[in-house]
Amino acid sequence: IKSDNPGVCHLHAYAPGEVTFTFTSVDNPDVVVEYSTVIKRTPTGVKIISIEDQEPSPNGMTIAVGQTVEAVAAVDPSDATIESFVMSIVNGDGMPVGEAEVEIDTVALNDAKTECSITFRFITVPQDRVFVKAAVNETITDQVNLIVVQSVNEIQLSETEKTIWFGNEQIDFSITAIALPEDATNKNITVEVDDNLVVEYLGPSKEVADMYSFRTMNKGTATITFKSEDNPSVVAKCVVN
Protein backbone atom coordinates (compact mmCIF):
# COMPACT_ATOMS: atom_id res chain seq x y z
CA ILE A 1 0.00 0.00 0.00
CA LYS A 2 1.56 3.25 -1.13
CA SER A 3 2.38 5.91 1.41
CA ASP A 4 2.54 9.65 1.05
CA ASN A 5 5.65 9.65 3.23
CA PRO A 6 8.90 9.09 1.34
CA GLY A 7 10.70 5.95 2.45
CA VAL A 8 7.63 4.52 4.18
CA CYS A 9 5.86 1.39 2.91
CA HIS A 10 2.57 0.17 4.38
CA LEU A 11 1.83 -3.54 4.12
CA HIS A 12 -1.43 -5.48 4.48
CA ALA A 13 -1.24 -9.15 5.52
CA TYR A 14 -3.84 -11.48 4.03
CA ALA A 15 -2.75 -14.80 5.53
CA PRO A 16 -0.17 -16.16 7.97
CA GLY A 17 3.16 -17.34 6.63
CA GLU A 18 6.75 -16.30 5.94
CA VAL A 19 7.30 -13.54 3.40
CA THR A 20 10.34 -11.72 1.96
CA PHE A 21 10.16 -8.14 0.74
CA THR A 22 12.62 -6.85 -1.85
CA PHE A 23 13.36 -3.10 -2.06
CA THR A 24 15.12 -1.93 -5.22
CA SER A 25 16.44 1.58 -5.94
CA VAL A 26 14.72 3.18 -8.91
CA ASP A 27 17.82 5.26 -9.57
CA ASN A 28 20.23 2.32 -9.27
CA PRO A 29 18.66 -1.13 -9.74
CA ASP A 30 21.83 -2.76 -8.42
CA VAL A 31 20.97 -1.46 -4.96
CA VAL A 32 18.72 -4.11 -3.45
CA VAL A 33 17.65 -4.74 0.13
CA GLU A 34 15.63 -7.75 1.29
CA TYR A 35 13.56 -8.00 4.44
CA SER A 36 11.98 -11.23 5.71
CA THR A 37 9.27 -11.55 8.32
CA VAL A 38 6.77 -14.06 9.64
CA ILE A 39 3.11 -13.09 9.60
CA LYS A 40 1.04 -14.64 12.37
CA ARG A 41 -2.70 -14.85 12.88
CA THR A 42 -3.94 -14.23 16.41
CA PRO A 43 -6.28 -16.88 17.83
CA THR A 44 -9.71 -15.50 18.71
CA GLY A 45 -11.15 -18.47 20.57
CA VAL A 46 -11.00 -22.11 21.59
CA LYS A 47 -13.85 -24.59 21.99
CA ILE A 48 -14.12 -28.06 23.46
CA ILE A 49 -15.76 -29.80 20.51
CA SER A 50 -16.25 -33.33 21.81
CA ILE A 51 -16.21 -35.52 24.91
CA GLU A 52 -16.30 -39.22 24.06
CA ASP A 53 -17.26 -38.30 20.49
CA GLN A 54 -20.30 -36.37 21.70
CA GLU A 55 -20.89 -32.64 21.49
CA PRO A 56 -20.70 -31.26 25.05
CA SER A 57 -24.01 -30.32 26.66
CA PRO A 58 -24.37 -26.84 28.22
CA ASN A 59 -25.59 -28.64 31.36
CA GLY A 60 -22.41 -30.69 31.63
CA MET A 61 -21.35 -34.21 30.68
CA THR A 62 -21.91 -37.24 32.89
CA ILE A 63 -19.04 -39.73 33.15
CA ALA A 64 -18.48 -42.71 35.41
CA VAL A 65 -15.66 -43.40 37.83
CA GLY A 66 -13.17 -45.68 36.08
CA GLN A 67 -14.37 -44.70 32.60
CA THR A 68 -11.58 -43.69 30.22
CA VAL A 69 -12.64 -40.43 28.58
CA GLU A 70 -11.20 -38.44 25.68
CA ALA A 71 -12.00 -34.76 25.24
CA VAL A 72 -10.97 -32.73 22.19
CA ALA A 73 -10.68 -28.95 21.75
CA ALA A 74 -10.10 -26.87 18.61
CA VAL A 75 -8.61 -23.40 18.15
CA ASP A 76 -10.36 -20.67 16.16
CA PRO A 77 -9.36 -19.80 13.50
CA SER A 78 -7.66 -23.03 12.53
CA ASP A 79 -4.64 -21.24 11.01
CA ALA A 80 -3.94 -19.15 14.10
CA THR A 81 -0.43 -19.10 15.50
CA ILE A 82 -0.32 -21.09 18.73
CA GLU A 83 2.23 -20.35 21.43
CA SER A 84 0.67 -22.85 23.85
CA PHE A 85 -2.37 -25.15 23.68
CA VAL A 86 -3.09 -27.33 26.69
CA MET A 87 -6.00 -29.17 28.29
CA SER A 88 -6.45 -30.02 31.96
CA ILE A 89 -8.94 -31.14 34.61
CA VAL A 90 -9.64 -28.36 37.10
CA ASN A 91 -11.90 -27.72 40.09
CA GLY A 92 -14.29 -24.85 40.72
CA ASP A 93 -11.39 -22.58 41.68
CA GLY A 94 -9.56 -23.30 38.43
CA MET A 95 -6.90 -25.37 40.18
CA PRO A 96 -5.76 -28.75 38.77
CA VAL A 97 -7.55 -31.75 40.28
CA GLY A 98 -5.17 -33.95 42.25
CA GLU A 99 -3.86 -37.38 41.30
CA ALA A 100 -5.87 -38.93 44.12
CA GLU A 101 -9.06 -38.13 42.19
CA VAL A 102 -8.14 -38.26 38.50
CA GLU A 103 -5.54 -40.00 36.33
CA ILE A 104 -4.46 -38.21 33.14
CA ASP A 105 -3.10 -40.55 30.48
CA THR A 106 -2.21 -38.19 27.63
CA VAL A 107 -2.41 -34.55 26.55
CA ALA A 108 -1.50 -34.18 22.88
CA LEU A 109 -1.65 -31.76 19.94
CA ASN A 110 -2.44 -32.91 16.42
CA ASP A 111 0.22 -32.41 13.74
CA ALA A 112 -1.31 -29.13 12.55
CA LYS A 113 -1.53 -27.86 16.14
CA THR A 114 -5.17 -26.94 15.57
CA GLU A 115 -6.62 -29.47 18.03
CA CYS A 116 -5.64 -30.68 21.47
CA SER A 117 -6.90 -33.81 23.21
CA ILE A 118 -6.79 -35.11 26.77
CA THR A 119 -7.45 -38.68 27.92
CA PHE A 120 -8.30 -39.23 31.58
CA ARG A 121 -10.25 -41.29 34.11
CA PHE A 122 -11.59 -40.47 37.56
CA ILE A 123 -10.56 -42.72 40.43
CA THR A 124 -13.28 -41.50 42.77
CA VAL A 125 -16.20 -39.10 42.83
CA PRO A 126 -14.65 -35.65 43.48
CA GLN A 127 -15.85 -33.56 46.41
CA ASP A 128 -15.82 -30.33 44.38
CA ARG A 129 -17.21 -29.42 40.97
CA VAL A 130 -14.81 -30.38 38.19
CA PHE A 131 -14.29 -29.24 34.61
CA VAL A 132 -12.28 -30.19 31.56
CA LYS A 133 -10.51 -27.02 30.45
CA ALA A 134 -8.79 -25.96 27.22
CA ALA A 135 -6.42 -22.99 27.11
CA VAL A 136 -4.74 -21.38 24.09
CA ASN A 137 -1.88 -18.97 24.73
CA GLU A 138 -2.90 -19.23 28.42
CA THR A 139 -5.59 -16.53 28.25
CA ILE A 140 -8.09 -17.90 25.72
CA THR A 141 -10.08 -20.65 27.44
CA ASP A 142 -13.15 -22.88 27.33
CA GLN A 143 -14.39 -25.43 29.84
CA VAL A 144 -17.14 -28.01 30.28
CA ASN A 145 -18.62 -29.19 33.56
CA LEU A 146 -18.05 -32.88 34.30
CA ILE A 147 -20.65 -34.71 36.38
CA VAL A 148 -18.78 -37.69 37.83
CA VAL A 149 -20.83 -40.62 39.09
CA GLN A 150 -20.03 -43.98 40.63
CA SER A 151 -21.82 -46.59 38.52
CA VAL A 152 -23.28 -49.82 39.81
CA ASN A 153 -21.15 -52.82 38.80
CA GLU A 154 -22.84 -55.63 40.74
CA ILE A 155 -26.16 -56.63 42.29
CA GLN A 156 -25.85 -58.97 45.24
CA LEU A 157 -28.84 -61.22 46.02
CA SER A 158 -29.71 -62.96 49.26
CA GLU A 159 -30.38 -66.08 47.15
CA THR A 160 -30.24 -67.04 43.48
CA GLU A 161 -32.54 -70.06 43.73
CA LYS A 162 -35.56 -70.54 45.95
CA THR A 163 -37.94 -73.47 46.41
CA ILE A 164 -41.36 -72.88 47.96
CA TRP A 165 -43.83 -75.62 48.82
CA PHE A 166 -47.11 -74.33 47.47
CA GLY A 167 -50.44 -75.52 48.88
CA ASN A 168 -53.86 -74.02 48.55
CA GLU A 169 -52.82 -70.66 49.99
CA GLN A 170 -50.66 -68.01 48.41
CA ILE A 171 -47.34 -67.45 50.14
CA ASP A 172 -45.54 -64.13 50.44
CA PHE A 173 -41.73 -64.08 50.41
CA SER A 174 -38.89 -61.57 50.09
CA ILE A 175 -35.51 -61.37 48.39
CA THR A 176 -32.78 -58.91 49.31
CA ALA A 177 -30.98 -57.22 46.40
CA ILE A 178 -28.12 -54.79 47.04
CA ALA A 179 -26.55 -52.59 44.36
CA LEU A 180 -22.76 -52.33 44.70
CA PRO A 181 -20.45 -50.59 45.33
CA GLU A 182 -21.90 -48.95 48.41
CA ASP A 183 -20.99 -45.44 47.17
CA ALA A 184 -22.80 -45.89 43.85
CA THR A 185 -24.57 -42.70 42.80
CA ASN A 186 -27.82 -44.36 41.70
CA LYS A 187 -28.58 -47.62 43.51
CA ASN A 188 -32.15 -48.02 42.25
CA ILE A 189 -33.11 -51.49 41.04
CA THR A 190 -35.91 -52.51 38.70
CA VAL A 191 -37.57 -55.91 39.07
CA GLU A 192 -39.13 -58.14 36.41
CA VAL A 193 -40.83 -61.54 36.70
CA ASP A 194 -40.98 -63.66 33.55
CA ASP A 195 -44.17 -65.53 34.60
CA ASN A 196 -46.67 -63.53 36.62
CA LEU A 197 -48.99 -66.53 36.79
CA VAL A 198 -46.44 -68.26 39.02
CA VAL A 199 -44.95 -65.32 40.99
CA GLU A 200 -46.34 -61.83 41.45
CA TYR A 201 -44.06 -58.89 42.26
CA LEU A 202 -45.53 -56.83 45.11
CA GLY A 203 -42.90 -54.06 45.18
CA PRO A 204 -40.02 -52.93 47.40
CA SER A 205 -40.43 -53.28 51.13
CA LYS A 206 -41.52 -50.11 52.90
CA GLU A 207 -39.89 -51.20 56.13
CA VAL A 208 -36.59 -52.85 55.17
CA ALA A 209 -34.09 -51.33 52.74
CA ASP A 210 -33.02 -53.37 49.71
CA MET A 211 -35.79 -55.94 50.26
CA TYR A 212 -38.32 -56.81 47.54
CA SER A 213 -41.61 -58.62 48.16
CA PHE A 214 -43.29 -61.31 46.08
CA ARG A 215 -46.26 -63.70 46.24
CA THR A 216 -46.67 -67.22 44.90
CA MET A 217 -49.67 -67.54 42.60
CA ASN A 218 -49.48 -71.08 41.20
CA LYS A 219 -47.18 -74.06 40.91
CA GLY A 220 -44.39 -73.68 38.38
CA THR A 221 -41.06 -71.96 37.81
CA ALA A 222 -40.45 -68.25 37.47
CA THR A 223 -37.27 -66.22 37.02
CA ILE A 224 -36.98 -62.91 38.83
CA THR A 225 -34.58 -60.44 37.22
CA PHE A 226 -33.07 -57.57 39.20
CA LYS A 227 -31.60 -54.85 36.96
CA SER A 228 -29.59 -51.74 37.81
CA GLU A 229 -31.42 -48.56 36.82
CA ASP A 230 -28.05 -46.79 36.53
CA ASN A 231 -26.32 -49.51 34.53
CA PRO A 232 -28.86 -51.81 32.81
CA SER A 233 -26.12 -54.23 31.82
CA VAL A 234 -25.76 -55.22 35.48
CA VAL A 235 -28.38 -57.86 36.31
CA ALA A 236 -28.90 -60.62 38.85
CA LYS A 237 -31.46 -63.42 38.69
CA CYS A 238 -33.24 -65.66 41.15
CA VAL A 239 -35.10 -68.79 39.99
CA VAL A 240 -38.17 -69.59 42.07
CA ASN A 241 -39.67 -73.11 42.00
Side-chain angles (χ1 to χ4, degrees):
I1 302 174
K2 293 182 179 180
S3 172
D4 294 332
N5 298 323
V8 177
C9 181
H10 296 293
L11 305 172
H12 182 81
Y14 288 96
E18 186 173 350
V19 62
T20 299
F21 303 97
T22 302
F23 301 89
T24 305
S25 170
V26 176
D27 174 62
N28 185 358
D30 293 332
V31 178
V32 177
V33 176
E34 290 187 345
Y35 173 76
S36 296
T37 187
V38 176
I39 299 173
K40 301 179 180 181
R41 191 187 298 278
T42 302
T44 58
V46 63
K47 182 176 178 60
I48 297 173
I49 57 175
S50 70
I51 297 178
E52 282 302 276
D53 296 324
Q54 297 182 36
E55 183 178 353
S57 166
N59 298 324
M61 299 292 288
T62 299
I63 61 174
V65 169
Q67 176 186 0
T68 299
V69 178
E70 182 185 49
V72 179
V75 67
D76 185 38
S78 59
D79 60 353
T81 300
I82 305 301
E83 296 176 3
S84 65
F85 193 171
V86 296
M87 296 186 73
S88 56
I89 307 299
V90 299
N91 60 24
D93 296 325
M95 301 300 295
V97 175
E99 295 180 355
E101 292 183 326
V102 65
E103 291 180 345
I104 297 176
D105 291 337
T106 59
V107 179
L109 281 171
N110 65 352
D111 292 339
K113 296 184 178 181
T114 58
E115 292 185 359
C116 185
S117 64
I118 182 171
T119 305
F120 60 94
R121 72 181 62 82
F122 276 87
I123 303 169
T124 184
V125 177
Q127 300 299 314
D128 193 6
R129 294 183 67 192
V130 290
F131 304 84
V132 56
K133 177 181 178 181
V136 170
N137 298 354
E138 297 185 358
T139 58
I140 303 172
T141 64
D142 185 32
Q143 64 182 29
V144 173
N145 182 31
L146 298 176
I147 304 166
V148 185
V149 299
Q150 174 64 68
S151 291
V152 171
N153 55 36
E154 180 185 358
I155 294 177
Q156 188 177 82
L157 300 182
S158 56
E159 48 199 323
T160 57
E161 188 173 357
K162 189 176 185 69
T163 300
I164 299 175
W165 293 97
F166 182 78
N168 295 325
E169 297 181 356
Q170 297 172 333
I171 299 174
D172 291 350
F173 64 96
S174 299
I175 298 174
T176 300
I178 302 174
L180 299 174
E182 293 184 0
D183 61 347
T185 304
N186 179 359
K187 300 179 70 174
N188 292 340
I189 291 175
T190 60
V191 180
E192 297 177 358
V193 180
D194 70 344
D195 193 339
N196 291 303
L197 296 178
V198 177
V199 172
E200 180 184 9
Y201 174 49
L202 301 179
S205 171
K206 296 180 181 180
E207 301 175 352
V208 182
D210 303 321
M211 183 174 288
Y212 300 84
S213 301
F214 303 87
R215 176 174 293 159
T216 58
M217 303 300 291
N218 289 289
K219 295 179 182 179
T221 299
T223 299
I224 304 171
T225 301
F226 299 83
K227 182 183 296 185
S228 166
E229 182 179 88
D230 166 63
N231 186 359
S233 65
V234 176
V235 298
K237 296 183 179 182
C238 178
V239 177
V240 179
N241 298 299

